[in-house]
Amino acid sequence: MVGIVSAVVIVGVMIACGYALWWFRSARAKEAVCLARVLGVVDNLEMGLSVWNPEKLLVSCNERFRSFYPGTPLKIGMEFEDLVRFNARKSVVLIDSEKVDKWADDWINRFGQYFSETLRTPDDRWIDMRMIPLDNGETGFVYIDVTAHRSFVDTSLASSDMVRRHAKTVSVLKRGMGVGRREVSFHAAARKMLELVATCADLDAGTLYFVAANESQELVASGLWYLSEGEAPEALRLAIDGFGDDPDDEILRRALGTGKLGWVSNIIADPRLSESRRSAMVGVRGLCAVPIISGKHIVAVLEFFTFDQLILDSASEELIASICDQLSHVFEREQLLSS
């Protein structure tokens, strides 16, 4: 009887062990399948992913992460500090040469904390680098290529800036046309136009000359001025007014001869400006002359000044000329009402 019981027990134990072994092998197989699936997903991620243990040693990384280091093997167990300093010194990402050590120290000292930074690569991509602490004490280090997103943002900003500039241009033109449509005093309209043009084109000062109705077309200072910072220094205004009709000044004479806007980027180096006017313009760097035409005659010239170098593109030239042209309507209206 005892022998039978012993045999039954032995058979039972064997069956239990067999079942346990089968279950263990089945679990291991399922685990292997799950692990393979997880690794497959990780390797196919668009982001580069690496995992580092609390001792700052590399535990694992996917193929996308390795792709940021072509020709450089990333070995399991490498130190986080070595990777960070490699990034900076081998220009994996572009860091100011004077800030390389500080940049590397910042990343190393922040290990195990949430931290991110977006940097450009030598091949003109943008990489979002992120450090993420994990629940098990390990740390994830992630690279995400954000070039497409950044390009979209830059394009959107450029488009928005273009829309803003266009809206500003339309607004300025409407204001200029309003002056030309409503004003009956040429002097009052010119005062408003000097401020409007100077404000919209970032010009520092402006004045008005009348053109004498004679063959020499002498320029007569009106005494009307606009200065963005307040009143122009008396000496500067008197000097410019006194040399406004200098016959050797090609800028104003060209405006009178052609009826077209003319400008000088830097009066110090431009030979078209007479020495008399150049010496009178203390502190002035650039200038712009805009003729006002009524019928076939030039009746006035607006002259604007900048205290820094002046650069006008074709759109700015056209805008300034279009705004100033509204003064011709005011001049003709005033002449009609006074006759």
Side-chain angles (χ1 to χ4, degrees), residues 300-319:
V301 175
L302 297 179
E303 189 172 35
F304 297 93
F305 310 94
T306 59
F307 301 139
D308 293 315
Q309 184 167 300
L310 173 64
I311 300 294
L312 292 180
D313 55 26
S314 57
S316 297
E317 289 186 41
E318 185 177 352
L319 176 61

Side-chain angles (χ1 to χ4, degrees), residues 17 24 48 63 80 109 119 140 153 162 171 173 175 208 224 300 320 322 338:
C17 289
F24 179 75
E63 288 301 318
F80 181 74
N109 293 335
L119 296 169
V153 171
M162 186 180 299
S171 175
L173 282 173
R175 291 167 61 190
L208 170 74
L224 184 64
I320 293 172
S322 297
S338 62

Side-chain angles (χ1 to χ4, degrees), residues 144-197:
I144 305 174
D145 191 325
V146 294
T147 306
H149 172 71
R150 192 173 182 106
S151 298
F152 173 78
V153 171
D154 289 344
T155 301
S156 299
L157 290 175
S159 299
S160 298
D161 187 52
M162 186 180 299
V163 170
R164 284 193 295 269
R165 289 199 304 269
H166 179 70
K168 179 181 178 181
T169 298
V170 172
S171 175
V172 170
L173 282 173
K174 288 176 65 177
R175 291 167 61 190
M177 291 175 66
V179 172
R181 186 173 58 252
R182 292 189 303 268
E183 291 292 337
V184 295
S185 167
F186 183 79
H187 189 277
R191 182 185 296 277
K192 292 180 179 179
M193 209 62 78
L194 283 171
E195 180 176 0
L196 179 60
V197 173

Side-chain angles (χ1 to χ4, degrees), residues 96-110:
D96 190 325
S97 59
E98 298 179 356
K99 300 178 180 179
V100 166
D101 290 334
K102 183 181 183 307
W103 179 86
D105 290 340
D106 284 345
W107 273 97
I108 294 167
N109 293 335
R110 286 186 170 96

Side-chain angles (χ1 to χ4, degrees), residues 50 52 65 69 74 78-88 141 143:
S50 63
W52 305 76
F65 190 86
Y69 303 90
L74 300 182
M78 77 175 298
E79 294 187 5
F80 181 74
E81 179 175 351
D82 291 341
L83 182 80
V84 172
R85 297 199 184 281
F86 183 87
N87 285 345
F141 193 35
Y143 294 166

Side-chain angles (χ1 to χ4, degrees), residues 51-52 54 133-139:
V51 178
W52 305 76
L134 306 177
D135 292 339
N136 61 356
E138 295 178 330
T139 297

Side-chain angles (χ1 to χ4, degrees), residues 98-332:
E98 298 179 356
K99 300 178 180 179
V100 166
D101 290 334
K102 183 181 183 307
W103 179 86
D105 290 340
D106 284 345
W107 273 97
I108 294 167
N109 293 335
R110 286 186 170 96
F111 182 84
Q113 305 173 27
Y114 284 103
F115 186 58
S116 67
E117 187 176 15
T118 302
L119 296 169
R120 191 162 62 91
T121 66
D123 57 354
D124 209 26
R125 292 181 299 153
W126 289 91
I127 303 300
D128 184 14
M129 303 172 61
R130 299 185 182 184
M131 188 154 52
I132 305 170
L134 306 177
D135 292 339
N136 61 356
E138 295 178 330
T139 297
F141 193 35
V142 180
Y143 294 166
I144 305 174
D145 191 325
V146 294
T147 306
H149 172 71
R150 192 173 182 106
S151 298
F152 173 78
V153 171
D154 289 344
T155 301
S156 299
L157 290 175
S159 299
S160 298
D161 187 52
M162 186 180 299
V163 170
R164 284 193 295 269
R165 289 199 304 269
H166 179 70
K168 179 181 178 181
T169 298
V170 172
S171 175
V172 170
L173 282 173
K174 288 176 65 177
R175 291 167 61 190
M177 291 175 66
V179 172
R181 186 173 58 252
R182 292 189 303 268
E183 291 292 337
V184 295
S185 167
F186 183 79
H187 189 277
R191 182 185 296 277
K192 292 180 179 179
M193 209 62 78
L194 283 171
E195 180 176 0
L196 179 60
V197 173
T199 302
C200 78
D202 295 324
L203 305 171
D204 295 304
T207 189
L208 170 74
Y209 305 101
F210 292 110
V211 179
N214 54 33
E215 292 184 0
S216 62
Q217 290 187 300
E218 297 175 3
L219 289 174
V220 181
S222 68
L224 184 64
W225 274 83
Y226 167 78
L227 188 73
S228 60
E229 298 298 330
E231 289 299 317
E234 186 71 16
L236 176 61
R237 289 190 295 156
L238 290 175
I240 291 177
D241 286 348
F243 289 100
D245 192 44
D246 191 333
D248 296 327
D249 191 309
E250 295 182 27
I251 302 300
L252 289 175
R253 287 295 145 189
R254 183 178 180 277
L256 289 171
T258 64
K260 296 181 180 180
L261 177 149
W263 60 280
V264 174
S265 174
N266 188 347
I267 68 172
I268 297 174
D270 199 303
R272 295 174 297 169
L273 204 70
S274 70
E275 288 302 324
S276 299
R277 291 204 78 208
R278 197 192 321 274
S279 61
M281 296 181 183
V282 179
V284 173
R285 290 289 299 278
L287 61 83
C288 173
V290 189
I292 306 301
I293 305 173
S294 175
K296 296 182 179 180
H297 303 286
I298 297 177
V299 297
V301 175
L302 297 179
E303 189 172 35
F304 297 93
F305 310 94
T306 59
F307 301 139
D308 293 315
Q309 184 167 300
L310 173 64
I311 300 294
L312 292 180
D313 55 26
S314 57
S316 297
E317 289 186 41
E318 185 177 352
L319 176 61
I320 293 172
S322 297
I323 297 173
C324 293
D325 184 56
Q326 298 301 314
L327 283 178
S328 63
H329 304 312
V330 181
F331 179 85
E332 292 164 1

